[in-house]
């Protein structure tokens, strides 16, 4: 038990937070000597390359020794230039070598700046009526008031609701609990075509962009859109002159078994927002990547991008990001993510017969999860007061596995899910360790629930 600290405010009042002392590879070690597998990849889906890689700390130290900060209104720094070249060389589809990069601090800054850029682009293009952002229910794009407004996590929005600007949400692409009560592929992708309905209702002249996560993270526990979804979205955006923003804050940098989440649909977004895995948690940094023609519109008007934070493009963070990205490439973590992700889904699939409380398994690469239900056949959820995903988190943590509990698969309120996103360096035998702990923990909570 830690000495209670009354000055530091944590994320929850009702739990104890053990103090982490060091971390290495996929493991975290707390002050009492307990070892945990970082099964959620930080909070969450961050630690692409694993913990404690000395060369990342070394390059950041070397940069900090030269300089850590400078007057960015008057100078630039080499690490920012180098990082931008590297990112553009790895960008998906038509953005590869035809985009430019804006570096900021957090995932929320990236999604906020992505919609700012969309808005500014339309104003600079002589279409100032285009301002609305269409997004989806059961999506998470970050935590400022503006971003929470176009996010779709009911529990995190409700008390701030009066402070949001009007922006339409369409239903998620969520086949397990299809909002249209249809079955893929007979549904004819009603969930994607709902974008067209929203655009026509609001008027395309009022819409700046549509934003979506290729694989939804915290809001519906690692749920990928079905095949064809983003192709249809892209086609609708083109038809109505709407920018498409891919929120790759979780799904970027090899997490889903491809470099970018959107690569699974072979579609090019106009703007990408990315963060987390780009520095693997070694330092805060995020980015937006946007097509050349978008930036060129601002440039032609001699109009600087109206965004920016004091610590943007911090040279120490840029040095860390370059080293992390090179590590991802050098150790081919895209392929390891793909292979180990497949192994995890096969292992979880095999558990469904034994554990009837697994309603669904889902994910891509090393971003995977499952939904916990009272009844596999009817998909009936547990009562929210039982806090079943939290119950699972406690059972797994006792056995040395950190997981990320999620709720709200049903209209953002009911429905328990578990998100897993271990470091992409995880080995075959370590995935088996994760699966064994999941198996035991499910048995434990089944007993507690009288199943
Ligand atoms: C898809 C997505 N977008 C944006 C964010 C916001 O990132 P940050 O917490 O770094 O502000 C998150 C955070 O979990 C996320 O999952």
């Amino acid at each position: 038990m830690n000495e209670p600290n009354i000055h530091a405010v944590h994320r929850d009042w009702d739990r104890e937070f053990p103090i982490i002392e060091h971390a290495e590879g996929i493991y975290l070690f707390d002050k009492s000597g307990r070892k945990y597998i970082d099964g959620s990849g930080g909070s969450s889906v961050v630690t692409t390359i694993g913990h404690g890689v000395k060369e990342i700390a070394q390059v950041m130290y070397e940069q900090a020794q030269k300089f850590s900060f400078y007057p960015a209104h008057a100078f630039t720094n080499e690490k920012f230039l180098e990082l931008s070249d590297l990112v553009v060389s790895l960008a998906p589809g038509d953005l590869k070598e035809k985009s430019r990069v804006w570096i900021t601090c957090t995932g929320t800054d990236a999604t906020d700046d992505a919609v700012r850029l969309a808005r500014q682009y339309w104003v600079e293009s002589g279409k100032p009526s285009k301002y609305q952002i269409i997004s989806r229910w059961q999506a998470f794009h970050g935590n400022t008031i503006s971003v929470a407004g176009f996010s779709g996590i009911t529990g995190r929005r409700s008390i701030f609701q009066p402070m949001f600007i009007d922006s339409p949400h369409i239903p998620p692409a969520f086949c397990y609990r299809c909002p249209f009560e249809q079955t893929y592929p007979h549904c004819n992708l009603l969930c994607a075509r709902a974008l067209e309905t929203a655009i026509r209702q609001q008027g395309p002249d009022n819409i700046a962009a549509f934003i979506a996560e290729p694989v939804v993270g915290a809001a519906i526990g690692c749920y990928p859109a079905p095949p064809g979804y983003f192709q249809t979205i892209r086609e609708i955006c083109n038809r109505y002159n709407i920018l498409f923003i891919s929120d790759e804050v979780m799904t970027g940098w090899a997490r889903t078994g491809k470099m970018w989440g959107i690569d699974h649909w072979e579609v090019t977004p106009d703007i990408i927002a990315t963060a987390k895995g780009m520095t693997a948690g070694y330092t805060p940094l995020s980015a937006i990547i946007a097509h050349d023609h978008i930036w060129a519109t601002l440039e032609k008007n001699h109009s600087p991008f109206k965004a920016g934070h004091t610590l943007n493009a911090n040279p120490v963070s840029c040095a860390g990001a370059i080293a992390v990205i090179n590590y991802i490439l050098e150790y081919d973590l895209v392929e390891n993510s793909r292979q180990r992700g497949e192994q995890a889904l096969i292992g979880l699939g095999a558990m469904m017969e034994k554990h009837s409380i697994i309603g669904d398994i889902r994910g891509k690469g090393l971003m995977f999860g499952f939904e916990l239900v009272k009844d596999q056949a009817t998909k009936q959820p547990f009562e929210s007061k039982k806090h079943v995903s939290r119950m699972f988190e406690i059972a797994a943590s006792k056995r040395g596995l950190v997981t990320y509990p999620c709720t709200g698969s049903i209209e953002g309120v009911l429905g328990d899910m578990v998100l897993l996103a271990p470091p992409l360096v995880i080995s075959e035998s370590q995935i088996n360790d994760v699966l064994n702990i999941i198996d035991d923990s499910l048995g434990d909570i089944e007993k507690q629930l009288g199943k």
Side-chain angles (χ1 to χ4, degrees):
M1 185 81 169
N2 307 322
E3 283 297 309
N5 178 313
I6 56 166
H7 297 133
V9 177
H10 289 93
R11 290 182 177 206
D12 197 328
W13 302 112
D14 301 322
R15 65 190 286 170
E16 198 202 336
F17 289 87
I19 297 173
I20 288 294
E21 194 153 73
H22 73 282
E24 202 179 319
I26 68 160
Y27 300 108
L28 304 160
F29 299 84
D30 75 15
K31 223 173 160 180
S32 72
R34 281 206 64 195
K35 177 178 168 186
Y36 310 78
I37 297 173
D38 182 6
S40 55
S43 304
S44 53
V45 196
V46 176
T47 51
T48 34
I49 69 167
H51 298 279
V53 179
K54 299 269 185 299
E55 66 206 59
I56 312 298
Q58 184 60 31
V59 296
M60 289 171 62
Y61 171 73
E62 282 166 15
Q63 178 58 44
Q65 277 198 319
K66 288 190 199 159
F67 67 100
S68 326
F69 191 59
Y70 61 100
H73 68 283
F75 300 90
T76 187
N77 77 79
E78 274 183 344
K79 294 299 173 193
F80 170 37
L81 305 179
E82 192 185 329
L83 176 60
S84 302
D85 289 345
L86 181 59
V87 170
V88 166
S89 75
L90 297 168
D94 289 347
L95 293 175
K96 191 177 166 76
E97 304 300 355
K98 287 194 211 116
S99 50
R100 302 180 209 174
V101 179
W102 169 262
I103 301 288
T104 182
C105 306
T106 70
T108 305
D109 300 336
T111 53
D112 194 84
D113 284 354
V115 306
R116 273 169 188 266
L117 181 61
R119 165 70 182 152
Q120 191 174 343
Y121 167 73
W122 289 120
V123 172
E124 307 277 348
S125 306
K127 295 191 166 64
S129 64
K130 286 170 89 64
Y131 76 99
Q132 282 190 330
I133 304 300
I134 301 182
S135 58
R136 304 186 296 182
W137 287 113
Q138 284 138 300
F140 184 65
H141 300 294
N143 253 333
T144 54
I145 292 295
S146 67
V147 177
F150 61 78
S151 285
I153 294 200
T154 308
R156 296 201 199 183
R157 297 176 91 243
S158 46
I159 68 162
F160 303 107
Q161 190 91 21
M163 304 163 83
F164 299 149
I165 61 155
D166 182 26
S167 70
H169 291 66
I170 62 170
F174 187 22
C175 300
Y176 177 62
R177 296 190 185 278
C178 175
F180 301 92
E181 298 184 358
Q182 300 275 324
T183 310
Y184 180 84
H186 305 291
C187 60
N188 205 9
L189 290 168
L190 276 176
C191 53
R193 291 191 293 125
L195 176 61
E196 179 163 23
T197 308
I199 293 170
R200 291 165 74 102
Q201 284 165 336
Q202 301 292 328
D205 288 347
N206 295 316
I207 313 293
F210 171 68
I211 184 166
E213 302 156 80
V215 179
V216 179
I220 38 177
C222 302
Y223 210 94
Y229 179 86
F230 282 107
Q231 291 88 332
T232 305
I233 292 288
R234 179 71 271 183
E235 191 273 314
I236 294 168
C237 287
N238 289 350
R239 191 141 38 92
Y240 291 95
N241 223 8
I242 310 287
L243 298 180
F244 168 39
I245 302 169
S246 185
D247 180 347
E248 303 263 0
V249 168
M250 280 191 176
T251 52
W253 308 108
R255 174 53 64 186
T256 68
K258 295 202 184 260
M259 184 55 86
W260 303 98
I262 201 67
D263 287 342
H264 292 280
W265 291 265
E266 296 181 355
V267 157
T268 307
D270 300 290
I271 305 175
I272 286 178
T274 190
K276 299 199 183 220
M278 188 172 179
T279 52
Y282 283 80
T283 178
L285 181 138
S286 64
I288 62 174
I289 310 164
H291 200 280
D292 268 342
H293 81 86
I294 294 178
W295 295 113
T297 304
L298 276 58
E299 190 178 21
K300 185 174 73 204
N301 295 348
H302 304 279
S303 192
F305 180 29
K306 293 187 179 18
H309 299 283
T310 305
L311 292 178
N312 271 11
N314 175 270
V316 179
S317 293
C318 289
I322 295 164
V324 166
I325 295 168
N326 283 331
Y327 194 100
I328 291 171
L329 298 174
E330 186 182 344
Y331 292 91
D332 197 2
L333 297 186
V334 172
E335 184 54 18
N336 200 53
S337 174
R338 190 186 68 74
Q339 287 184 16
R340 300 284 70 81
E342 266 177 29
Q343 180 194 349
L345 282 187
I346 291 168
L348 283 175
M351 275 182 225
M352 281 188 85
E353 253 182 61
K354 181 171 166 197
H355 298 292
S356 63
I357 63 168
I358 306 184
D360 183 45
I361 57 167
R362 59 202 46 172
K364 282 211 182 284
L366 282 171
M367 186 173 169
F368 58 95
F370 50 94
E371 182 155 344
L372 297 165
V373 291
K374 246 185 182 170
D375 186 316
Q376 233 174 30
T378 64
K379 308 181 184 177
Q380 190 188 355
F382 287 100
E383 295 79 17
S384 57
K385 65 175 190 288
K386 286 210 161 98
H387 302 292
V388 171
S389 53
R390 171 85 179 107
M391 206 185 241
F392 180 86
E393 185 202 356
I394 293 167
S397 177
K398 268 195 214 146
R399 293 165 174 81
L401 173 67
V402 181
T403 59
Y404 195 77
C406 315
T407 51
S409 58
I410 302 175
E411 290 157 4
V413 182
L414 281 175
D416 289 279
M417 298 153 290
V418 176
L419 176 157
L420 289 135
L424 306 182
V425 292
I426 196 166
S427 69
E428 188 174 351
S429 72
Q430 288 170 329
I431 285 282
N432 287 332
D433 294 342
V434 169
L435 290 169
N436 287 335
I437 295 177
I438 291 173
D439 191 5
D440 289 350
S441 309
L442 287 169
D444 180 344
I445 68 164
E446 277 166 341
K447 257 197 220 131
Q448 294 180 52
L449 291 163
K451 286 274 170 192

